[in-house]
Amino acid sequence: MSSQFSATGVQNPPPVSAKGAETRVGHPCCGGRQPLLWAALAFGGGIVAGLCAWRPPLWWLAAAVACLVFAIFFLRRRPRAAALLGLGAMFVAGALAIELRPLGDAPSSGILRFADGQEVTITAHVTNDGSLRQAGSGGSRQVLDVDTEDVSTDVQTFAIHSGLRVSFYTRQVTTDSQDAASAAPPRLFRYGERLRFPAKLSPPRNFRNPGAFDYRGYLADHEIAALGSAKAIDVEVLPGFSGSRRELWRTRIHRSIIEKIHSLWPTPQAALVDAMVIGEDAFIGRDTRTDFQRSGTYHILVVSGMNVSILAFVIFWVLRRFYISNVVASVVTVLMAVAYAFLTDVGPPIWRATLMLTLYLGARLLYRERSMLNAIGAAALGLLIADPRVLFGASFQLTFLSVLLIAAVAVPILERTTQPFSRGLRYLDSTTYEVSLPPRVAQFRLDLRMIAGRLQRFLGKAIPLPGLAGLARTLLGATEILVVSALMQVGLALPMAYYFHRATVVGLPANIVVVPLTGILMPTAVLAVALGYVSPALAKVPALIAGLALDGISGTVRSLGGLRVADARVPTPEFAVILLAMVALAVAMLLAHRRRLLVASGLAVLVCSAFWIAVGPSHPQVRPGVLELTAIDVGQGDAILLVLPQGQTLLVDAGGLPHWMHSDFDVGENVVSPYLWWRGIRRLDAVVVTHAHADHIGGMAAVLANFRPNELWLGVDTPNSDLDRLLREAKDLGVAVVPRKAGDTFQLGGTQVRILAPAPDPDSSAWRPNDDSMVMKITYGATSALLEGDAEGQAERRIAEEQPRADLLKVAHHGSAGSTVPELLSAVRPRFAVISVGARNTYGHPREQVLSRLAESGVATYRTDLDGAVTFYLDGTAVTPRLAALR
């Protein structure tokens, strides 16, 4: 941003001396010239220390006071010591801040006492407009955030003010007149409307696996304490309005802009314009999101700091072209950025970018261009003081790191490479201007004039010199984009791997194309929308230009994001790798203003750290020499991780959601894979599909793509569209499909595996998918485990005849009444059992009679809905259960 704004600041800048051009680059990242940046870093370090090493707040307060007193004492005598003590005071203040405001502050949770699945009547007002989406059986679902006013049961009404996210369901319209009337197109509820509706409430729940997304914390950040569901037809709109008139106008303008966008562009383009320009992503499909993520351009799809920067640059540039003063142009730019952030309402990221823009322009007005790092530090410090918890958010880290990379590394490099030549392209007709320029830049100007002189013979005098200058500016601008994009790919490798488990292999070429096109899209789309309110005819030209830019963006994203090489997934970096990557980043920043050889060395270190994160060997968290079985919490489904004594890894099933839910949520991508990455697992040796039901097979496609196993074990290959798609995916990835039938026995990884079902020739007349689940017994030494899939009574009685004695039983079919029959328990005689089951599932699993049978047999039973991920270690002589320490 620095180069953009400085290049457009004034029409006739005073000459810049060669000496001045050299001194501009001498701004070290440390040494006292950016005290607020160092203060922000010290404060952030203190937050981490306060979270990891709790001490009484009075201790931290006393330490801070001591540091300040000694800093004042040494201020005149030993300035460096005073500076270090001042940073120490900021460090201690950060620790004190996080302890006074710890993590996990929850919204008002009084409503949770009604979150037991029983129906209550809610009176509430809408606090956030929702969106209408497809739901099960062809119906629709509108998700709203509301603030409750009271909750009524059959006997009493309670005044409770709490955040609630509620889903209103509408049935599919049928041919029956009565049903058609009851399933009329749903009414969209808007901000401030007061509603009364019967609903069933539930508490938000995380998938209780290490490495899982903190959904409950995410809702708490949005002041949502509970979830609810209701029928749209049962909603009563009450008279009156509750809320802020300012927010009411914002939501109305926001909706109006979305409607205007959909009138200017066809639906596929309008969905992308919604997301990129106004921050509305309700119309973006999962495949589109995935393509943007894989191509390393997801920041383009969402409203972010880059949107603010582009719009601010265009506004500032236009105002300066009309000879508006520097002060007025800066003020207007900031006001427009604030209005844009308010209108999009996408949360803290956009406001952080706006704050940093404001501080930068303010520093620029004071003619302190070199204070950009100080401005960044001031913005970060202010945000951390206001809310220390923001330090642990991916959004804050990515925003801060991105700006810091540009300011501390990219700007110094560009000011020594492309920027002198960019400044040299001014006033090409003036020979006196060259006196104040470095020799190489003066020679560059002379070469351009000589070439233009030769071209004048063919093109006349008016075209060659401006044309060459425009071409040179384009090439220099493309070079700057290339440098910044490359720097972003390597500099952000650590947070991308840690939070998103992605190595953006094609991010550099994708951003080289997409970022300039976004620079065209943003202003033209905004102009088209603005003109659309005046005259749709006038809006056609900028809408056409924006549409062409959008086609270029989406085409690039689809072509590059669709490449296999683009889907490079990485496990969670180890602590040593995180530390080394942070050191590499610091080295690159510290050396960016030094000699060219040192600059190259710093960049090489940064590139090497990014390369190691992407392709370096991982060290899975496993216990050598034991057989591990972990039941992963996937809700109402199955996913079992097996780690063999010799280190091989197998995944039995991968969870999934039934098709009638019409959900974009992928259990394999969002639940199973994060747990495996948290364990440091990069590849699987084999995956097992027990049978082709959605709650077992639904997440397997993502697992195949993310972990590229060598083999896929399959029992009965019955006609099934989901299974057919999975087998095609396996074939495309080169995964060998291995059939497994009852009677197969083999050695694997120091264990013996015995397949007990399905039968080699199943009786098709009595065939049931659950009874033909793959059942396997795995034995290590004198210990063994029996994995049943969804086998039911008929299959279990047949298995019991083989007397498959086992210490650990994975209970069949989530504890349904038709499974875990007495004959099986008598034959297996397990000491431990684990049930993979979803919390508050609609099937009533596990059934009470199954739990009673297990208890009467003296079996210690664990459940994923209550215990989260459960791990059992079989060392050949004994079985040891372990529960994960979870929030």
Side-chain angles (χ1 to χ4, degrees), residues 328-354:
V328 174
S330 299
V331 171
V332 172
T333 300
V334 169
L335 291 176
M336 294 296 289
V338 170
Y340 179 69
F342 172 72
L343 189 60
T344 55
D345 191 39
V346 295
I350 198 76
W351 287 109
R352 282 195 288 269
T354 304

Side-chain angles (χ1 to χ4, degrees), residues 17 46 51 136 311 322 391 456 464 557 568 575 606 620 624 661 679 737:
S17 65
L51 188 66
L311 288 178
F322 283 96
L391 177 66
Q456 285 178 3
V557 168
F575 177 76
L606 189 60
M661 293 186 68
R679 292 286 300 270
V737 177

Side-chain angles (χ1 to χ4, degrees), residues 413-661:
I413 292 174
L414 294 177
E415 286 188 340
R416 302 169 74 175
T417 54
T418 62
Q419 282 300 294
F421 293 97
S422 294
R423 288 191 291 268
L425 290 172
R426 305 175 190 173
Y427 319 112
L428 283 175
D429 292 327
S430 172
T431 56
T432 57
Y433 184 57
E434 295 171 0
V435 178
S436 61
L437 296 176
R440 58 190 179 123
V441 179
Q443 182 64 47
F444 173 65
R445 290 166 57 89
L446 180 60
D447 292 341
L448 286 179
R449 283 202 295 270
M450 291 178 62
I451 296 172
R454 293 181 180 273
L455 293 176
Q456 285 178 3
R457 300 177 183 178
F458 310 100
L459 302 176
K461 294 184 178 181
I463 297 177
L465 191 58
L468 287 173
L471 178 61
R473 289 191 180 95
T474 300
L475 293 176
L476 289 170
T479 302
E480 292 186 0
I481 292 174
L482 176 62
V483 170
V484 173
S485 296
L487 185 61
M488 286 297 177
Q489 300 311 308
V490 296
L492 297 178
L494 176 60
M496 289 297 295
Y498 188 87
Y499 290 110
F500 307 110
H501 303 287
R502 290 189 180 275
T504 51
V505 178
V506 298
L508 179 57
N511 279 282
I512 290 174
V513 177
V514 167
V515 170
L517 290 175
T518 305
I520 298 172
L521 168 68
M522 285 295 298
T524 53
V526 171
L527 179 61
V529 172
L531 290 176
Y533 286 99
V534 179
S535 169
L538 293 176
K540 288 183 178 180
V541 173
L544 177 62
I545 297 173
L548 293 174
L550 195 61
D551 288 340
I553 292 171
S554 56
T556 301
V557 168
R558 280 196 303 269
S559 59
L560 293 178
L563 298 175
R564 285 291 181 192
V565 70
D567 202 18
R569 310 307 296 270
V570 294
T572 303
E574 301 171 22
F575 177 76
V577 175
I578 294 174
L579 186 61
L580 290 175
M582 294 174 65
V583 171
L585 188 60
V587 168
M589 291 180 179
L590 291 171
L591 297 181
H593 59 282
R594 304 294 183 181
R595 296 180 181 179
R596 292 182 178 179
L597 181 60
L598 293 177
V599 173
S601 300
L603 292 177
V605 170
L606 189 60
V607 170
C608 289
S609 71
F611 181 79
W612 186 262
I613 290 171
V615 302
S618 59
H619 300 88
Q621 302 176 33
V622 299
R623 290 188 186 181
V626 300
L627 169 63
E628 174 196 329
L629 183 150
T630 297
I632 305 171
D633 177 15
V634 292
Q636 185 68 11
D638 267 12
I640 306 293
L641 173 66
L642 294 174
V643 181
L644 306 187
Q646 295 177 2
Q648 292 91 335
T649 52
L650 290 81
L651 183 73
V652 182
D653 292 327
L657 297 177
H659 297 293
W660 55 263
M661 293 186 68

Side-chain angles (χ1 to χ4, degrees), residues 140-163:
S140 61
R141 176 172 66 107
Q142 184 181 180
V143 182
L144 293 172
D145 289 347
V146 301
D147 189 13
T148 62
E149 299 175 6
D150 60 61
V151 179
S152 299
T153 64
D154 293 336
V155 296
Q156 192 175 356
T157 297
F158 303 87
I160 295 178
H161 296 277
S162 187

Side-chain angles (χ1 to χ4, degrees), residues 627 642 713 744-746 751-757 774-788 799 802-808 827-828:
L627 169 63
L642 294 174
W713 299 0
D744 292 352
T745 302
F746 51 93
T751 68
Q752 182 185 60
V753 180
R754 179 184 173 194
I755 306 299
L756 301 173
M774 186 188 299
V775 178
M776 56 190 292
K777 178 182 177 182
I778 183 165
T779 303
Y780 177 54
T783 54
S784 58
L786 180 65
L787 283 68
E788 287 198 87
I799 293 168
E802 301 190 31
Q803 296 296 311
R805 174 77 177 85
D807 301 279
L808 172 63
V828 176

Side-chain angles (χ1 to χ4, degrees), residues 204-335:
R205 182 183 183 273
N206 295 337
F207 287 96
R208 303 186 66 208
N209 308 306
F213 173 64
D214 185 9
Y215 180 60
R216 187 168 53 195
Y218 166 80
L219 290 178
D221 288 341
H222 290 75
E223 299 184 348
I224 302 298
L227 305 174
S229 61
K231 296 178 181 178
I233 194 174
D234 294 333
V235 180
E236 176 188 1
V237 180
L238 302 178
F241 169 83
S242 181
S244 164
R245 292 291 175 182
R246 182 187 65 177
E247 180 65 13
L248 175 63
W249 280 105
R250 189 204 68 78
T251 56
R252 287 180 176 175
I253 296 172
H254 188 92
R255 288 197 303 270
S256 175
I257 292 174
I258 292 175
E259 293 170 359
K260 186 60 64 178
I261 288 173
H262 283 259
S263 70
L264 293 172
W265 288 278
T267 300
Q269 288 188 334
L272 292 173
V273 175
D274 284 341
M276 296 178 185
V277 176
I278 202 64
E280 177 58 65
D281 62 353
F283 306 101
I284 299 295
R286 182 179 181 84
D287 291 342
T288 301
R289 293 179 191 272
T290 301
D291 284 341
F292 274 88
Q293 290 170 347
R294 293 176 60 174
S295 62
T297 57
Y298 191 68
H299 60 285
I300 302 294
L301 188 62
V302 296
V303 171
S304 63
M306 192 183 73
N307 303 67
V308 176
S309 300
I310 292 173
L311 288 178
F313 169 72
V314 171
I315 293 169
F316 190 89
W317 185 86
V318 170
L319 291 174
R320 295 299 288 140
R321 295 286 75 77
F322 283 96
Y323 300 99
I324 304 297
S325 71
N326 207 12
V327 174
V328 174
S330 299
V331 171
V332 172
T333 300
V334 169
L335 291 176

